[in-house]
Amino acid sequence: MSDLEKQDHSIAELVTLGDQDGYLLDPSKAVTQQGLQLSRDQQNILIPQPSADPHDPLNWSQGRKNLILFIISATALLADYGSATGAVTLIPQAQIWQMSPDEVNHSQVGNLFMLGAGGIIVVALAAFFGRLPVFFWFATLAFVTAAWCAGATSFESFFAARVLNGLFSTVAQGGGLMLIKDMFFLHEHARKINVWSAFITVSPYLGPLLAAFIITNLSWHWPFWIYTIETGLCLLGIIMFLDETYYDRRIPMKNQPVRQSRFLRLVGTEQYRSRQLRNSFPQAVMRSVKVILKPTVFLSTIYFLFTFAWVVGINTTLSIFIGPLYNFGPKQIATIYMRRNGGTLEPEARLLAIYISTPFMLAGLVLVGFCLQNGYHYMVTAVAWGLYVFGIMITTVALNAYNLEAYPEASGEVAAWINFARTTGGFIVSYFQVRWALAMGPQRSFGVQAGVTAAVFFLVVLLSVFGKRLRAWSGPLHFKTA
């Protein structure tokens, strides 16, 4: 499609044109700039084009939007943070409850599974009720179940609390990309996704780090009380600063739902009154099904499942080998880029970052195996670990940006499926990683992990070459709302 043909379409259709034919960002390549709103530096066409309504989240101040981004990123961090905390406390719990660590670990596995499944539930409810009430109620229940974990006196009680906490604490992991898409323009997406995904990527390491220090002098309950306090602070941030970010720009400003009370929006009453403007409940539930049936989303999900799973592999294996080797007690980045083809950005351009990140992941996995097998200095192990984490952070940003720009109307659903792949990979690996490493040796087991990561990289190559044709073949989603 020529630039002239694109200009003949209404400004409101820029996003639809973009996910099909690439996004025209360079204003110098537009046939006419009449009616087009540009970024402050005049270097990018604003996509989506904001309305004149001050309630349009695209028109909120940059400070307000960045504050909300920080709150949802911190809330997203706590899901894996709290989940990984249980990996440290299971040993003293096993002693108190007179159970084996493997039996106590069932609570960890249940929590991890719900972190992925919960994201699918979050986006379905958000498509029906709106973003804000889902964030508020899920964060409230995450706070309650975190306190339940901390105060549990039996394994049965702790197990139930952990599973429910996994469901509710994942709200910002599964739903965070919706808010980023609602508030920020396309040329800002990569930077903002990087912030959000960086919080998620580092979270599995922070929980065990702090918990290990705490339980050296205090009971296992205290890491979960600290987690409860942190969850409460994020809930307070949601109550004080978040607002409804869903805004349908296809509806004229005079016909937009009247915003009366922020409290009523927080609990969902106001959004429920205007529910006829959004998805019916069956439509909301089917959105995630329709999204995963798109070939590019499905292949992205499979790739990420076999790539991020080794984060859990590294964590669980280090906990076994690092003590005897180094006598230790129980104690980022993003690549942001725009590939311009005549001023047009196609979603597949985002995948080029994975060509950069894959060598770092492969080198990190192989080197970690050598370090643990041969007892190299712990600083070498730390560097190897860092190489893998560096690569996985770039990969996470690239995959989320690719799927968001391929299907912008399904921002929540694509994020939920990527999150599901991430947690499912860890869920599966947690069952066999330690026995695998002990039986085969860390050098060979991590070598196999690197081989799997290299093999599934061909899915990225496939998407880079055929992704646009696959998207055209499978057609648009035709959702009632974005």
Side-chain angles (χ1 to χ4, degrees), residues 426-446:
F427 172 76
I428 295 171
V429 168
S430 64
Y431 273 105
F432 63 81
Q433 172 64 29
V434 172
R435 290 192 298 272
W436 182 24
L438 289 172
M440 183 180 285
Q443 182 173 318
R444 293 179 61 190
S445 67
F446 277 95

Side-chain angles (χ1 to χ4, degrees), residues 11 37 46-53 56 58-59 185 249:
I11 291 174
Q37 299 183 65
L46 294 181
I47 301 177
Q49 292 277 284
S51 68
D53 190 346
D56 185 343
L58 292 175
N59 292 324
F185 299 103
R249 294 173 192 87

Side-chain angles (χ1 to χ4, degrees), residues 336-356:
I336 304 169
Y337 65 95
M338 291 282 184
R339 187 187 73 178
R340 301 289 180 87
N341 289 330
T344 299
L345 174 73
E346 294 186 351
E348 281 70 29
R350 298 295 189 189
L351 297 174
L352 293 180
I354 303 179
Y355 288 70
I356 299 172

Side-chain angles (χ1 to χ4, degrees), residues 400-439:
N400 276 293
Y402 168 61
N403 284 288
L404 173 61
E405 291 167 13
Y407 296 102
E409 71 272 45
S411 56
E413 288 76 16
V414 297
W417 281 117
I418 294 296
N419 182 60
F420 181 81
R422 181 182 64 84
T423 56
T424 301
F427 172 76
I428 295 171
V429 168
S430 64
Y431 273 105
F432 63 81
Q433 172 64 29
V434 172
R435 290 192 298 272
W436 182 24
L438 289 172

Side-chain angles (χ1 to χ4, degrees), residues 70-232:
F70 173 77
I71 293 170
I72 64 172
S73 299
T75 306
L77 177 146
L78 288 178
D80 279 8
Y81 170 97
S83 180
T85 295
V88 176
T89 62
L90 64 85
I91 295 178
Q93 288 171 325
Q95 295 171 347
I96 293 171
W97 293 328
Q98 297 183 342
M99 302 170 65
S100 70
D102 279 344
E103 291 174 312
V104 178
N105 191 51
H106 291 166
S107 65
Q108 176 80 1
V109 174
N111 176 273
L112 186 60
F113 176 78
M114 293 308 296
L115 288 179
I120 309 298
I121 298 173
V122 164
V123 297
L125 293 175
F128 180 70
F129 289 107
R131 317 316 197 201
L132 181 60
V134 172
F135 267 74
F136 168 68
W137 288 113
F138 268 66
T140 299
L141 292 170
F143 173 73
V144 171
T145 53
W148 181 4
C149 290
T153 56
S154 68
F155 173 73
E156 291 75 16
S157 176
F158 181 75
F159 179 86
R162 286 283 280 167
V163 171
L164 290 174
N165 184 255
L167 170 63
F168 296 121
S169 65
T170 194
V171 60
Q173 284 190 354
L177 198 60
M178 291 187 297
L179 275 67
I180 292 174
K181 186 261 182 182
D182 290 343
M183 296 189 297
F184 296 102
F185 299 103
L186 183 138
H187 69 279
E188 300 176 300
H189 283 170
R191 295 193 301 273
K192 306 309 179 181
I193 293 172
N194 174 56
V195 173
W196 170 68
S197 63
F199 274 72
I200 295 173
T201 304
V202 302
S203 60
Y205 309 106
L206 294 180
L209 175 66
L210 295 179
F213 278 104
I214 294 171
I215 65 173
T216 55
N217 297 307
L218 299 170
S219 75
W220 70 263
H221 298 272
W222 275 104
F224 286 101
W225 283 124
I226 299 296
Y227 170 58
T228 303
I229 294 170
E230 294 163 341
T231 304

